[in-house]
Structures are given as structure tokens and as C-alpha cells.
Amino acid sequence: MTTEQLDPRALRDAFGAFPTGVTVVTTRDQAGVPIGFTANSFTSVSLDPPLLLVCLAKTSRNFTAMTSATSFAINVLSETQKHISNTFARPVEDRFATVEWASGTAGCPILADVAAWFECTLEQVIEAGDHVILMGRITSFENSGRNGLGYARGGYFTPILASKAVSAAAEGDIELGAVLERHDEVLLLGDDVLSLPGCDGKDGSPADILRDYLEELTGLSVTIGFLYSVYEGKSDGKQHIVYRAFASDGEPRNGRFLKPDTLTKACFKTSSTADIVGRFAVESQIGNFGVYFGDETVGTVRPVPAKAAHA
């Protein structure tokens, strides 16, 4: 695809394939009022001197305050802080009223219970198209040892939670399944009775086994995403592990890509398949994806084991 043909939305979706952490960038405006916003375009730059950077859109409501500040802080959110990410990503009047925080040495807001934080002096503002790059020189930091919150393909994920769930399920016979996505559609097999693609689990990496199966089934390139559902099948006695997965463009060799929110009257092979497709239709609209744990009839959806917000 040439530069002239680049679709900004498609390019943004492609950038979203790269898993990142989630941060809240904070500072104070000229009146001393704390401000902050959610960002995942953060990276370390140098150990000597200690430098980091974060990207800021020129259209951001925080643009003037951030680019004129003498210092700012990067708060790396922990696995329990999805609610904080959502708060600082939305146009809330007083974002700091719902979180616990304290002032750093330079006065920047430092959020409680984060995985790590870095307070910096603003070293340089670099022009970068429709964004600027804020280069910061680290003056103080702390590493709590907590695991970080992940983000990719428009959804949060918690690597430690997912790995524990897979390990627990691996004690029995495993059926691997996939919510295979493309352009807000999901691959379903069958005509009158619909089912999600799935295969038996074997020794080895579940993600690799599932990817190989899906690519053979569809003839498309497939990327395995994150854990979506773990449940015990009462009818077949198997442990079911379902992942989100992402397919390349092209006509699938088997199955059809359908919009999940149009399937309310469809007939599914199992009730659990209907539940998965229905939940995915809702979660994809609001952009919050969870992990289901339970059996075919009773369970819980845990996006992130969240802590209560502090007033």
C-alpha cells in the first residue's frame, strides 16, 4: 500500500496490533491544578542520561499545559487499575477526585499502587506530524514490583491472570476455540447452526496449536490475541479455552465473517457459543473486553481484578 493509499483508521488498527503497557501522564498547569491523561505511546530512551518519551496529540485538551510544563510524571498502571485508565481517558471534570495520589518532588501527581512511576523534567518537545514527542529527563522513580496492565487491539489484558487460567485448565482434556475477528466481524462455521472454530488441545503451546489450526481452516494469516473465556463443558467433560484472534483480509476457505450484533436470532451449536458471541457483541461496542471463568451455565467475567476507587 503506497503512502497515498493509506487509510488512517486501518493504520491505527494496525498500530494497535502491538501490545503495550498503559500509563497516566500527569503534571500541573500554570495555576497549579493537577492534570492527567491516559497514554500507551510511552517508551524508555536512555539510561545515561536517564531519558524517556511519550507522544501527545496536538488536538489534546492538555496540549498547552503539557508542552509548557517544566516537569511531568509517567504513572505505569498495574493490572488492578483498568478503572483508572478509563477515568483518565474520558472527558471527566475532576479525574483526580476518584483516585488516591500524592505530589512528587517536583509537584507532579503520583498515583497510588501503580506498577512504577517516573518524575521528569521536560527536556525537549519534538515536532512529529499530528503529535509532539515529550522527551523527559528522569529525576526520580519507583518500581513497586506489581505487574503492569496491558493493552492491544482495543482491549485490556492481564498476562499473569491469563497464564494462571490456562495452567489450571490444562489439567484436563482441552478444547481450544477462537473468536476470530476481522473488521468488526467474527468467523462462524455452519449454515443453519453456527459454531465457533475450535480444535483439540495437544501437548505444546495452545496459542501455536490454535493458530496453525485456524490458518489451515481459513487459508488466511492469523494472529492469536488474548484469553477470552475459560470454562468447563458439562456435556463433554472438557476444559474449553477460547482466545480472541485476528485474521488477515481475504475470502476464508471455510466459514463466514458475520457481524455478531446481527445474530440475536441465530441458532448456535451450544448455549456457551451463543453466550460468547453475545458477550463479544456487547464488549466490542464499548471497547472493554473481559475474561470469563466458570462452566457452561454459571461463571464470572473479570476484565481486571479491580480495586475500589478512592474518593
Side-chain angles (χ1 to χ4, degrees):
M1 183 178 289
T2 66
T3 302
E4 292 76 12
Q5 296 173 321
L6 288 179
D7 177 353
R9 174 62 186 273
L11 180 60
R12 182 175 181 175
D13 289 346
F15 282 148
F18 182 65
T20 68
V22 185
T23 74
V24 170
V25 185
T26 58
T27 189
R28 292 181 184 266
D29 64 16
Q30 292 184 341
V33 176
I35 63 172
F37 62 95
T38 300
N40 64 346
S41 54
F42 155 74
T43 187
S44 60
V45 174
S46 171
L47 295 176
D48 185 17
L51 299 174
L52 56 74
L53 66 79
V54 65
C55 296
L56 174 67
K58 292 181 178 178
T59 55
S60 169
R61 61 187 291 189
N62 302 297
F63 182 82
T64 300
M66 288 300 309
T67 54
S68 60
T70 58
S71 60
F72 66 93
I74 302 290
N75 296 270
V76 181
L77 298 186
S78 67
E79 283 188 313
T80 65
Q81 293 182 314
K82 177 184 168 184
H83 62 292
I84 295 179
S85 173
N86 289 335
T87 296
F88 281 84
R90 294 167 179 162
V92 179
E93 276 303 313
D94 188 358
R95 294 168 173 174
F96 289 90
T98 61
V99 298
E100 184 179 349
W101 62 279
S103 294
T105 303
C108 298
I110 305 298
L111 306 184
D113 300 326
V114 293
W117 59 263
F118 307 87
E119 196 170 30
C120 314
T121 57
L122 182 58
E123 183 89 351
Q124 192 176 0
V125 178
I126 304 169
E127 288 288 328
D130 55 9
H131 282 60
V132 294
I133 299 170
L134 304 178
M135 185 79 72
R137 181 182 287 257
I138 300 166
T139 56
S140 59
F141 72 96
E142 184 174 296
N143 177 14
S144 72
R146 296 180 177 89
N147 296 307
L149 176 63
Y151 191 81
R153 301 274 190 191
Y156 298 100
F157 66 96
T158 54
I160 299 301
L161 181 64
S163 63
K164 288 181 178 178
V166 172
S167 296
E171 295 178 1
D173 291 335
I174 298 175
E175 176 81 14
L176 301 175
V179 179
L180 183 59
E181 310 170 40
R182 190 178 69 189
H183 306 313
D184 299 322
E185 296 182 332
V186 172
L187 183 80
L188 291 161
L189 306 177
D191 295 319
D192 297 329
V193 179
L194 303 177
S195 63
L196 292 169
C199 63
D200 289 333
K202 312 179 189 68
D203 292 337
S205 165
D208 291 344
I209 294 168
L210 186 60
R211 184 196 63 240
D212 292 346
Y213 161 75
L214 292 172
E215 290 188 341
E216 176 64 25
L217 176 74
T218 64
L220 305 175
S221 177
V222 172
T223 301
I224 302 299
F226 308 107
L227 199 66
Y228 192 64
S229 188
V230 179
Y231 65 94
E232 180 182 359
K234 292 183 177 180
S235 57
D236 59 14
K238 293 184 177 181
Q239 297 288 340
H240 293 258
I241 303 177
V242 181
Y243 288 85
R244 290 178 66 197
F246 308 90
S248 63
D249 289 335
E251 188 67 24
R253 187 181 294 151
N254 293 285
R256 297 170 291 158
F257 282 97
L258 301 171
K259 288 191 176 298
D261 56 359
T262 65
L263 301 173
T264 54
K265 296 183 179 180
C267 179
F268 292 95
K269 184 176 180 179
T270 65
S271 60
S272 55
T273 300
D275 290 341
I276 290 171
V277 173
R279 179 165 68 91
F280 183 81
V282 173
E283 291 182 338
S284 60
Q285 289 180 355
I286 63 177
N288 288 338
F289 295 94
V291 184
Y292 174 88
F293 297 92
D295 57 34
E296 289 177 316
T297 57
V298 180
T300 58
V301 177
R302 290 186 280 172
V304 168
K307 299 172 67 175
H310 296 276

